Amino acid sequence: MKNIVIIATGGTIAGSGKIGKATDYHAGKIDIKEIIDSIPTINEVANLKAIQLFNVDSNEMDEKHWLCLTKKINELANCDDVDGIVVTHGTDTLDETAYFLNLTVHTYKPIVLTGAMRPASATSADGPMNLYQAVCLASSDEALGHGVMALFSSTIYSGRDIQKVSNFKIDAFDQKDFGCLGYMYDDKVLMFSRTFKKHTLQSIFSKDLSEELPAVGIVYYYAGAKVELLKMMADEHQGIVIIGSGSGNYSRVWLQEIERLTNQGIVFVRASRVNQGIVYKSDVFDPHNVCIPSNTLSGQKARVLLMLALSKTRDINEIRRIFDEY
Ligand code: SIN
């Protein structure tokens, strides 16, 4: 049997509330050992070791938690007697952590994030099955080399592309137009696709990760949004991701302010409030080519990449290249 380490960070999978109810609970309450003990055959899949690294609602996660998690995963992945790692996590910010880990962990061993939409105390909680299948996936040779993955509702997602699409249903995730990497058929792993974008061992950020990350903020564009929002964000941040309308768009006064702030050294990325499609170079909304398109990354994932990119360089052409590669 393979040796799998489960790193628990909290979330609804460790949530507790009124017995039988799926709402009105607190995330990050139950110890991982208790959750493992509730899954009948999980110990027949792999030799398990559990580490309770944090026990928080994932809305409490920040860059410090991400850096700590990467450090712990790298430390474990370096051990010959660890074959794969499962991370339990709240679903609210799981997409951000998954992408951060995908870019910063230095291993080809399987790393699988999972969680739940219903607390452990609910009738028909989804956490135990998700965790069981995440352990099966992390134990499988099929999972090698895919970068950081996430497992939900018997579906395997890539850490780069996973996004939360429902704040209510247990099938709460998808991967935009890219479908998924594969399925779990009970304990069997069935992979069907692979990401072309750089991750883990090929990622420059996995080789030499900074201890501190530059401040990057997100500003949401809406009809009539004032430019003062950009000015305020620029006071405290080195980089700004704009969640624009349509294909990463904004008004002409915003464009003028973006160009002015660029001259003062702020680095801008254009993402979109539309969840599908692509944000690409635009001669209309970025005529002087100062605002880097996020491609298919959501605003919050573009922020993760911009933070990492700014930790290496402030050269806008180099950052643009990074956005094309990752
Ligand atoms: C959280 O993200 O920690 C709470 C919500 C969830 O896990 O579904």
Side-chain angles (χ1 to χ4, degrees), residues 10-13 25 27-28 56-59 89-93 116-117 164:
T12 294
I13 191 167
Y25 62 90
V56 295
D57 184 302
S58 76
N59 294 293
H89 197 288
T91 61
D92 282 354
T93 66
M117 290 297 286
K164 190 169 179 178

Side-chain angles (χ1 to χ4, degrees), residues 8-116:
T9 73
T12 294
I13 191 167
S16 177
K18 238 187 182 170
I19 298 295
K21 298 287 182 194
T23 54
D24 287 336
Y25 62 90
H26 290 283
K29 291 286 162 212
I30 297 176
D31 192 273
I32 185 62
K33 298 215 169 69
E34 206 180 309
I35 302 169
I36 294 170
D37 287 346
S38 74
I39 307 172
T41 55
I42 198 165
N43 287 306
E44 292 166 20
V45 176
N47 299 311
L48 295 180
K49 185 178 159 196
I51 297 172
Q52 189 76 55
L53 193 59
F54 326 117
N55 208 355
V56 295
D57 184 302
S58 76
N59 294 293
E60 305 302 326
M61 297 289 283
D62 60 16
E63 300 84 4
K64 287 202 179 72
H65 292 89
W66 293 343
L67 289 164
C68 174
L69 195 48
T70 293
K71 224 177 185 173
K72 179 51 85 186
I73 291 174
N74 283 339
E75 194 182 295
L76 290 165
N78 268 332
C79 301
D80 291 340
D81 61 352
V82 173
D83 298 307
I85 295 165
V86 170
V87 178
T88 59
H89 197 288
T91 61
D92 282 354
T93 66
L94 181 139
D95 60 334
E96 294 170 68
T97 302
Y99 189 44
F100 184 84
L101 296 177
N102 194 47
L103 297 171
T104 58
V105 299
H106 195 70
T107 181
Y108 260 95
K109 293 182 184 175
I111 314 291
V112 184
L113 276 76
T114 196

